[in-house]
C-alpha cells in the first residue's frame, strides 16, 4: 500500500538539525529564532476562564461552537476588523488553523484535476493541503495569472508568513475580483492580523474589499499568536455562509470539535484587547533590538511590515546564512522552506524571550 505521506514533502525542520546542533554548542546556549512558537505567559484571564469552565464539560462540545463563542467571534470581527455584518452561519471555530489549512482543500471537495493557488513565498502547509487532496499547486502572486488557471481554491496571506508583507485594500480587492470571476474560493489567512508594524492590515471581509458581501470568501483567524495560546489550538473561520455550512457538515461527520473549556476561554480572550496590546509591545521591543543588529551585521531586511518575523538576506544562499548564524549560536529558518524563489533569505522570529533576543543582538554586533 502506498501511504499518503509519500505525496508529501520531507518535513522541512528536519533539514536544519545540523545547524541546530551547532547553535546549541555556543557557550551561552542557543538563541532559537527559527520557529513562531510563543514563549510569553498565557493571559491570566484565559487561565481563569479555563479553570472556571473545566468542570462543566462532561459532554461533547459541538463543532459549530457555543452560541457565546459565535457571538464573540462576530463581535471581534465587526468591532476590530470592521467586517461586513455577520450572522452565526458566517462563523465556524476550528482546532487551530494549521489543521484547517492542511485539510481545507479536502473538506471543500477539491481533488485530482483541480488547482490550488498559493503565494510564491508561503507557509508550506498551503501546498501540503493541496497535495493531501491530490490537487495541483500553482504558486503566483498575480491575481490575473491565478484566475487564468481557473483554480478551485486560492490562498492569500496578510500579514504574511514568512516575509511579513501586508496587502493593502486595493491588492486584496484584486484577489477578490479574480477569485469571483472564475468561481474560486478565496481563503485569506489573517492569523497575524494584530501584528502590523509599518502598515495597518485589512481584512478581506472589510466592505471596501469584499463589496459588502462575504460570498465566496473565507477568512482564517487564530488566537495562537494574538493571545499566546498556541497550545490551546484555538482558531476560527468567517465568511461565506454557503462555504462554512459545507465545512460544518463535513467537520461534524469528522468530529472536529474545539474542546469546550477552550471555547469558553476564547470567548473571554476575544472580548479583551488589553492583553493583545501588551503582547504587541513585547514584540515591537524585540523587533527594535533585532532589526538594527541584523542591519549592522550586513543584512538587508525585506518586507517585514508585519507579522512576527524579519525576512533577512546577506545576498547569499540561505543555507550559508543559516550556518553563519548557527556559528554565533543563532538558529534561523532557511527561506527555501517557503518556496523556490526564497532561497536567499532567512526568516528570523521575534518569538523568543527578551533575554534570548538581547543575546542574539549582541552576538550579531
Amino acid at each position: 500500500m502506498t501511504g499518503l505521506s509519500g505525496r508529501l514533502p520531507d518535513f522541512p525542520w528536519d533539514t536544519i538539525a545540523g545547524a541546530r546542533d551547532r547553535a546549541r554548542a555556543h557557550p551561552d546556549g542557543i538563541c532559537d529564532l527559527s520557529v513562531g512558537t510563543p514563549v510569553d505567559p498565557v493571559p491570566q484571564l484565559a487561565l481563569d476562564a479555563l479553570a472556571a469552565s473545566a468542570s462543566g464539560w462532561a459532554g461533547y462540545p459541538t463543532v459549530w461552537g457555543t452560541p457565546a463563542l459565535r457571538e464573540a467571534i462576530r463581535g471581534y470581527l465587526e468591532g476590530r476588523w470592521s467586517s461586513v455584518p455577520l450572522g452565526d452561519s458566517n462563523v465556524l471555530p476550528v482546532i487551530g488553523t494549521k489543521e484547517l489549512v492542511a485539510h481545507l482543500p479536502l473538506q471543500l471537495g477539491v481533488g485530482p484535476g483541480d488547482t490550488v493557488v498559493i503565494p510564491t513565498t508561503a507557509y508550506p502547509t498551503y501546498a501540503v493541503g493541496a497535495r493531501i487532496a491530490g490537487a495541483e499547486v500553482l504558486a503566483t502572486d498575480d491575481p490575473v495569472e491565478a484566475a487564468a488557471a481557473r483554480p478551485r481554491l486560492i490562498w492569500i496571506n496578510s500579514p504574511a508568513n514568512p516575509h511579513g508583507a501586508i496587502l493593502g485594500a486595493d491588492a486584496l480587492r484584486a484577489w477578490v475580483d479574480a477569485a469571483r470571476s472564475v468561481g474560486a474560493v478565496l481563503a485569506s489567512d489573517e492569523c497575524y492580523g494584530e501584528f502590523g508594524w509599518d502598515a495597518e492590515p485589512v481584512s478581506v471581509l472589510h466592505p471596501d474589499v469584499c463589496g459588502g458581501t462575504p460570498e465566496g470568501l473565507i477568512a482564517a483567524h487564530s488566537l495562537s499568536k494574538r493571545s499566546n495560546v498556541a497550545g490551546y489550538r484555538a482558531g476560527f473561520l468567517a465568511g461565506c455562509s454557503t462555504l462554512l455550512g459545507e465545512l460544518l457538515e463535513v467537520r461534524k461527520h469528522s468530529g472536529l470539535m474545539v474542546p469546550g473549556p477552550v471555547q469558553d476561554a476564547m470567548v473571554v480572550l476575544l472580548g479583551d484587547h488589553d492583553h493583545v496590546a501588551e503582547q504587541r509591545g513585547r514584540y515591537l521591543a524585540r523587533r527594535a533590538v533585532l532589526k538594527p543588529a541584523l542591519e549592522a551585521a550586513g543584512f538587508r531586511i525585506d518586507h517585514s511590515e508585519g507579522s512576527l518575523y524579519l525576512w533577512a538576506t546577506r545576498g547569499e544562499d540561505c543555507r550559508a546564512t543559516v550556518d553563519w548564524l548557527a556559528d554565533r549560536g543563532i538558529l534561523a529558518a532557511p527561506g527555501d522552506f517557503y518556496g523556490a524563489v526564497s532561497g536567499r533569505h532567512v526568516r528570523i522570529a521575534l518569538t523568543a524571550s527578551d533575554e534570548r533576543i538581547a543575546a542574539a543582538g549582541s552576538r550579531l554586533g
Side-chain angles (χ1 to χ4, degrees), residues 330-357:
I330 301 168
L331 187 65
D336 58 20
F337 279 10
Y338 306 100
V341 302
S342 304
R344 302 181 79 80
H345 284 78
V346 294
R347 192 193 77 169
I348 297 176
L350 306 178
T351 50
S353 69
D354 292 345
E355 185 273 331
R356 287 290 86 185
I357 293 289

Side-chain angles (χ1 to χ4, degrees), residues 12-13 28 39 58 103-104 113 115 125-126 145 162-163 187 214 231 244 246-247 249 271 274 289 294 312 321 344 349:
W13 298 100
D28 189 36
V39 299
H103 296 104
L104 183 62
T115 297
T125 311
Y126 302 141
E145 182 182 5
H163 53 58
L244 295 192
E246 174 68 14
L247 291 174
E249 291 305 312
D274 289 346
V289 171
L294 287 163
T321 305
R344 302 181 79 80

Side-chain angles (χ1 to χ4, degrees), residues 4 136 174 213 336:
L4 174 59
E136 299 297 319
T213 173
D336 58 20

